[in-house]
Amino acid sequence: MASTISPAAAAAAALASIATPTTLVGQHQLYTRIRLATPADVPHIHKLIYQMAVFQNETHLFTATESSLATTLFNSPPFQSFTVFILEVSSNPFKNIHSPAFLPIERTVLVDHVAADPEAETFKSGVVNENDDDDDDVTVAGFVLFVPSYTTFAGKPGFHVEDLLVRECYRRKGFGKMLLSAVAEQAVKMGFKRVEWSVLEWNVNAIKFYEEMGAKVLTEWRVCRLTGDALEAYGDANY
């Protein structure tokens, strides 16, 4: 099933939902940041993609390596080809990082409890701040990977979201919406017409979430894919 959303609508909805948090008894502040990925994030991206394959019951299709990601994801400027946003969380305010191509998006959210992160050490962020040191308690919580697309009917570009994942212990806190809204906001800034992605038919929670964001689920469309031997057969075919 394909989903599509007007970038302006998604960005407006995201901005409308953001307010200065008021801490209540028993609540905790959690600092979040969305930033551009760098080659140093490849080990985390690789693990996140594998977690997505596990969730989708498609580990048999997972052949990506850290090397293949490193050699393909960062060959073009951001937003002109494959682009990855990294979602980070911290119990303390973030220190500034050097990011001229994209101003990181920082939000403070209130949570009723801070869930234990069994993989906190594995997903410890290696980003270096402007003081040239690491932020010790910054953890990678999710990512979104997207690429430029084109809508011929409108004669304008858009973005196609290939992957979106928030790690299990950080779900149901609005972080998926933050990541998708960041893509939509960037599309608006660039004058793009559309943001679209696919969703599995059995993932009813995701479908409901996307519809609540304003996306239209296009049930009349089907995904067509040419891969593996079927694709390789065209390498020597006479057609």
Side-chain angles (χ1 to χ4, degrees):
M1 241 184 288
S3 300
T4 183
I5 186 173
S6 162
L15 291 173
S17 67
I18 296 170
T20 302
T22 301
T23 306
L24 302 177
V25 176
Q27 289 187 318
H28 305 271
Q29 284 191 338
L30 193 62
Y31 297 90
T32 68
R33 176 170 66 191
I34 294 174
R35 62 168 176 83
L36 275 175
T38 71
D41 293 305
V42 164
H44 293 140
I45 295 172
H46 184 257
K47 293 180 180 69
L48 290 167
I49 296 173
Y50 181 75
Q51 289 189 0
M52 175 171 291
V54 171
F55 175 76
Q56 296 179 175
N57 299 314
E58 293 183 331
T59 53
H60 60 289
L61 299 177
F62 182 81
T63 60
T65 64
E66 290 186 17
S67 177
S68 66
L69 295 175
T71 56
T72 55
L73 285 181
F74 302 99
N75 295 327
S76 301
F79 313 121
Q80 295 184 23
S81 184
F82 317 113
T83 302
V84 178
F85 283 159
I86 294 291
L87 168 68
E88 296 173 318
V89 298
S90 175
S91 58
N92 296 300
F94 291 97
K95 298 176 183 178
N96 291 333
I97 58 175
H98 181 66
S99 181
F102 176 77
L103 181 65
I105 301 172
E106 297 185 13
R107 299 282 185 265
T108 303
V109 299
L110 299 179
V111 295
D112 293 330
H113 67 279
V114 179
D117 185 348
E119 298 180 291
E121 189 62 31
T122 299
F123 282 96
K124 180 180 177 181
S125 177
V127 66
V128 176
N129 59 52
E130 290 184 343
N131 296 325
D132 291 329
D133 57 8
D134 295 336
D135 289 333
D136 291 335
D137 69 338
V138 177
T139 303
V140 173
F143 84 119
V144 59
L145 187 154
F146 55 103
V147 296
S149 60
Y150 197 84
T151 167
T152 54
F153 285 6
K156 289 196 174 184
F159 281 135
H160 173 80
V161 176
E162 179 65 22
D163 283 334
L164 170 68
L165 178 78
V166 175
R167 292 174 50 221
E168 186 172 1
C169 59
Y170 295 106
R171 292 173 189 165
R172 293 171 291 280
K173 293 177 173 59
F175 294 157
K177 181 178 181 180
M178 289 173 59
L179 280 167
L180 202 51
S181 296
V183 177
E185 182 180 0
Q186 185 64 34
V188 173
K189 289 180 178 179
M190 298 178 67
F192 284 11
K193 184 68 175 178
R194 176 188 295 171
V195 177
E196 60 185 1
W197 59 95
S198 298
V199 59
L200 291 166
E201 289 185 335
W202 54 260
N203 197 347
V204 293
N205 289 333
I207 292 172
K208 180 181 178 182
F209 160 59
Y210 296 145
E211 289 178 333
E212 289 174 348
M213 281 197 67
K216 180 180 179 182
V217 179
L218 308 176
T219 57
E220 66 273 22
W221 285 81
R222 294 290 184 269
V223 175
C224 300
R225 180 178 297 161
L226 194 58
T227 187
D229 292 341
L231 174 62
E232 293 298 327
Y234 285 91
D236 299 317
N238 294 318
Y239 53 85

mmCIF file of all heavy atoms in Angstrom, residues 20-31 91 108-115 173:
data_model
loop_
_atom_site.group_PDB
_atom_site.id
_atom_site.type_symbol
_atom_site.label_atom_id
_atom_site.label_comp_id
_atom_site.label_asym_id
_atom_site.label_seq_id
_atom_site.Cartn_x
_atom_site.Cartn_y
_atom_site.Cartn_z
ATOM 1 N N THR A 20 5.519 24.396 24.419
ATOM 2 C CA THR A 20 6.486 24.370 25.502
ATOM 3 C C THR A 20 5.992 23.412 26.572
ATOM 4 O O THR A 20 4.914 23.600 27.134
ATOM 5 C CB THR A 20 6.653 25.775 26.109
ATOM 6 O OG1 THR A 20 7.068 26.664 25.072
ATOM 7 C CG2 THR A 20 7.687 25.756 27.216
ATOM 8 N N PRO A 21 6.741 22.351 26.865
ATOM 9 C CA PRO A 21 6.236 21.354 27.793
ATOM 10 C C PRO A 21 6.188 21.861 29.226
ATOM 11 O O PRO A 21 7.057 22.620 29.657
ATOM 12 C CB PRO A 21 7.251 20.201 27.652
ATOM 13 C CG PRO A 21 8.512 20.862 27.193
ATOM 14 C CD PRO A 21 8.071 22.019 26.334
ATOM 15 N N THR A 22 5.166 21.469 29.955
ATOM 16 C CA THR A 22 5.037 21.766 31.369
ATOM 17 C C THR A 22 5.188 20.457 32.131
ATOM 18 O O THR A 22 4.400 19.532 31.967
ATOM 19 C CB THR A 22 3.671 22.389 31.683
ATOM 20 O OG1 THR A 22 3.531 23.589 30.916
ATOM 21 C CG2 THR A 22 3.549 22.707 33.166
ATOM 22 N N THR A 23 6.224 20.372 32.927
ATOM 23 C CA THR A 23 6.517 19.130 33.622
ATOM 24 C C THR A 23 5.532 18.905 34.748
ATOM 25 O O THR A 23 5.304 19.781 35.590
ATOM 26 C CB THR A 23 7.951 19.153 34.185
ATOM 27 O OG1 THR A 23 8.872 19.446 33.127
ATOM 28 C CG2 THR A 23 8.306 17.806 34.800
ATOM 29 N N LEU A 24 4.920 17.724 34.768
ATOM 30 C CA LEU A 24 4.011 17.329 35.823
ATOM 31 C C LEU A 24 4.705 16.349 36.750
ATOM 32 O O LEU A 24 5.748 15.769 36.418
ATOM 33 C CB LEU A 24 2.749 16.690 35.224
ATOM 34 C CG LEU A 24 1.951 17.560 34.248
ATOM 35 C CD1 LEU A 24 0.776 16.757 33.691
ATOM 36 C CD2 LEU A 24 1.458 18.832 34.917
ATOM 37 N N VAL A 25 4.138 16.161 37.941
ATOM 38 C CA VAL A 25 4.719 15.237 38.903
ATOM 39 C C VAL A 25 4.801 13.843 38.289
ATOM 40 O O VAL A 25 3.835 13.333 37.727
ATOM 41 C CB VAL A 25 3.865 15.202 40.190
ATOM 42 C CG1 VAL A 25 4.418 14.147 41.159
ATOM 43 C CG2 VAL A 25 3.854 16.569 40.849
ATOM 44 N N GLY A 26 5.971 13.232 38.383
ATOM 45 C CA GLY A 26 6.156 11.897 37.841
ATOM 46 C C GLY A 26 6.614 11.864 36.406
ATOM 47 O O GLY A 26 6.920 10.795 35.880
ATOM 48 N N GLN A 27 6.657 13.010 35.732
ATOM 49 C CA GLN A 27 7.112 13.042 34.354
ATOM 50 C C GLN A 27 8.601 13.371 34.273
ATOM 51 O O GLN A 27 9.174 13.963 35.191
ATOM 52 C CB GLN A 27 6.315 14.070 33.543
ATOM 53 C CG GLN A 27 4.874 13.665 33.277
ATOM 54 C CD GLN A 27 4.174 14.618 32.344
ATOM 55 O OE1 GLN A 27 4.325 15.830 32.446
ATOM 56 N NE2 GLN A 27 3.405 14.064 31.414
ATOM 57 N N HIS A 28 9.181 12.984 33.164
ATOM 58 C CA HIS A 28 10.614 13.196 32.961
ATOM 59 C C HIS A 28 10.838 13.902 31.630
ATOM 60 O O HIS A 28 10.134 13.658 30.661
ATOM 61 C CB HIS A 28 11.352 11.864 32.958
ATOM 62 C CG HIS A 28 11.128 11.028 34.178
ATOM 63 N ND1 HIS A 28 11.916 11.119 35.304
ATOM 64 C CD2 HIS A 28 10.182 10.099 34.448
ATOM 65 C CE1 HIS A 28 11.478 10.275 36.212
ATOM 66 N NE2 HIS A 28 10.417 9.637 35.718
ATOM 67 N N GLN A 29 11.839 14.772 31.599
ATOM 68 C CA GLN A 29 12.202 15.431 30.358
ATOM 69 C C GLN A 29 13.184 14.563 29.588
ATOM 70 O O GLN A 29 14.142 14.033 30.153
ATOM 71 C CB GLN A 29 12.824 16.800 30.629
ATOM 72 C CG GLN A 29 11.820 17.870 31.017
ATOM 73 C CD GLN A 29 12.445 19.252 31.022
ATOM 74 O OE1 GLN A 29 13.663 19.395 31.141
ATOM 75 N NE2 GLN A 29 11.634 20.275 30.873
ATOM 76 N N LEU A 30 12.938 14.442 28.306
ATOM 77 C CA LEU A 30 13.839 13.722 27.428
ATOM 78 C C LEU A 30 14.168 14.644 26.263
ATOM 79 O O LEU A 30 13.271 15.169 25.606
ATOM 80 C CB LEU A 30 13.182 12.437 26.925
ATOM 81 C CG LEU A 30 14.085 11.398 26.246
ATOM 82 C CD1 LEU A 30 15.142 10.886 27.224
ATOM 83 C CD2 LEU A 30 13.262 10.229 25.738
ATOM 84 N N TYR A 31 15.441 14.856 26.044
ATOM 85 C CA TYR A 31 15.876 15.748 24.973
ATOM 86 C C TYR A 31 16.051 14.932 23.692
ATOM 87 O O TYR A 31 16.622 13.836 23.707
ATOM 88 C CB TYR A 31 17.189 16.435 25.359
ATOM 89 C CG TYR A 31 17.045 17.320 26.567
ATOM 90 C CD1 TYR A 31 17.254 16.815 27.844
ATOM 91 C CD2 TYR A 31 16.688 18.664 26.441
ATOM 92 C CE1 TYR A 31 17.114 17.614 28.969
ATOM 93 C CE2 TYR A 31 16.543 19.481 27.557
ATOM 94 C CZ TYR A 31 16.751 18.947 28.815
ATOM 95 O OH TYR A 31 16.599 19.748 29.924
ATOM 96 N N SER A 91 19.396 12.516 28.172
ATOM 97 C CA SER A 91 18.805 13.001 29.414
ATOM 98 C C SER A 91 19.274 14.414 29.735
ATOM 99 O O SER A 91 18.794 15.020 30.693
ATOM 100 C CB SER A 91 19.154 12.064 30.569
ATOM 101 O OG SER A 91 20.576 11.946 30.708
ATOM 102 N N THR A 108 12.232 19.037 23.314
ATOM 103 C CA THR A 108 12.175 18.442 24.646
ATOM 104 C C THR A 108 10.795 17.835 24.822
ATOM 105 O O THR A 108 9.787 18.512 24.640
ATOM 106 C CB THR A 108 12.424 19.493 25.743
ATOM 107 O OG1 THR A 108 13.683 20.131 25.513
ATOM 108 C CG2 THR A 108 12.435 18.840 27.117
ATOM 109 N N VAL A 109 10.749 16.541 25.142
ATOM 110 C CA VAL A 109 9.472 15.867 25.305
ATOM 111 C C VAL A 109 9.339 15.379 26.733
ATOM 112 O O VAL A 109 10.338 15.148 27.437
ATOM 113 C CB VAL A 109 9.327 14.685 24.320
ATOM 114 C CG1 VAL A 109 9.401 15.171 22.884
ATOM 115 C CG2 VAL A 109 10.402 13.637 24.576
ATOM 116 N N LEU A 110 8.102 15.234 27.169
ATOM 117 C CA LEU A 110 7.821 14.728 28.507
ATOM 118 C C LEU A 110 7.341 13.292 28.405
ATOM 119 O O LEU A 110 6.458 12.979 27.602
ATOM 120 C CB LEU A 110 6.762 15.594 29.183
ATOM 121 C CG LEU A 110 7.131 17.072 29.378
ATOM 122 C CD1 LEU A 110 5.986 17.824 30.032
ATOM 123 C CD2 LEU A 110 8.403 17.212 30.208
ATOM 124 N N VAL A 111 7.913 12.433 29.201
ATOM 125 C CA VAL A 111 7.507 11.028 29.227
ATOM 126 C C VAL A 111 7.175 10.642 30.655
ATOM 127 O O VAL A 111 7.755 11.161 31.615
ATOM 128 C CB VAL A 111 8.612 10.117 28.666
ATOM 129 C CG1 VAL A 111 8.848 10.407 27.192
ATOM 130 C CG2 VAL A 111 9.918 10.300 29.438
ATOM 131 N N ASP A 112 6.202 9.735 30.792
ATOM 132 C CA ASP A 112 5.806 9.300 32.129
ATOM 133 C C ASP A 112 6.902 8.498 32.815
ATOM 134 O O ASP A 112 7.042 8.530 34.034
ATOM 135 C CB ASP A 112 4.519 8.465 32.052
ATOM 136 C CG ASP A 112 3.326 9.311 31.616
ATOM 137 O OD1 ASP A 112 3.330 10.526 31.916
ATOM 138 O OD2 ASP A 112 2.416 8.775 30.969
ATOM 139 N N HIS A 113 7.652 7.789 32.022
ATOM 140 C CA HIS A 113 8.788 7.061 32.571
ATOM 141 C C HIS A 113 9.810 6.857 31.455
ATOM 142 O O HIS A 113 9.454 6.791 30.281
ATOM 143 C CB HIS A 113 8.359 5.703 33.148
ATOM 144 C CG HIS A 113 7.888 4.737 32.119
ATOM 145 N ND1 HIS A 113 6.606 4.765 31.595
ATOM 146 C CD2 HIS A 113 8.525 3.708 31.480
ATOM 147 C CE1 HIS A 113 6.461 3.811 30.708
ATOM 148 N NE2 HIS A 113 7.602 3.163 30.601
ATOM 149 N N VAL A 114 11.057 6.770 31.849
ATOM 150 C CA VAL A 114 12.132 6.536 30.892
ATOM 151 C C VAL A 114 12.402 5.040 30.856
ATOM 152 O O VAL A 114 12.881 4.457 31.832
ATOM 153 C CB VAL A 114 13.405 7.305 31.277
ATOM 154 C CG1 VAL A 114 14.521 7.030 30.272
ATOM 155 C CG2 VAL A 114 13.124 8.793 31.367
ATOM 156 N N ALA A 115 12.044 4.410 29.743
ATOM 157 C CA ALA A 115 12.212 2.968 29.623
ATOM 158 C C ALA A 115 13.689 2.601 29.594
ATOM 159 O O ALA A 115 14.522 3.338 29.054
ATOM 160 C CB ALA A 115 11.517 2.463 28.360
ATOM 161 N N LYS A 173 6.043 7.441 21.702
ATOM 162 C CA LYS A 173 6.389 8.703 22.331
ATOM 163 C C LYS A 173 6.354 9.873 21.329
ATOM 164 O O LYS A 173 6.783 10.966 21.636
ATOM 165 C CB LYS A 173 7.780 8.619 22.980
ATOM 166 C CG LYS A 173 7.843 7.657 24.169
ATOM 167 C CD LYS A 173 9.241 7.558 24.725
ATOM 168 C CE LYS A 173 9.269 6.730 26.009
ATOM 169 N NZ LYS A 173 8.768 5.364 25.841
#
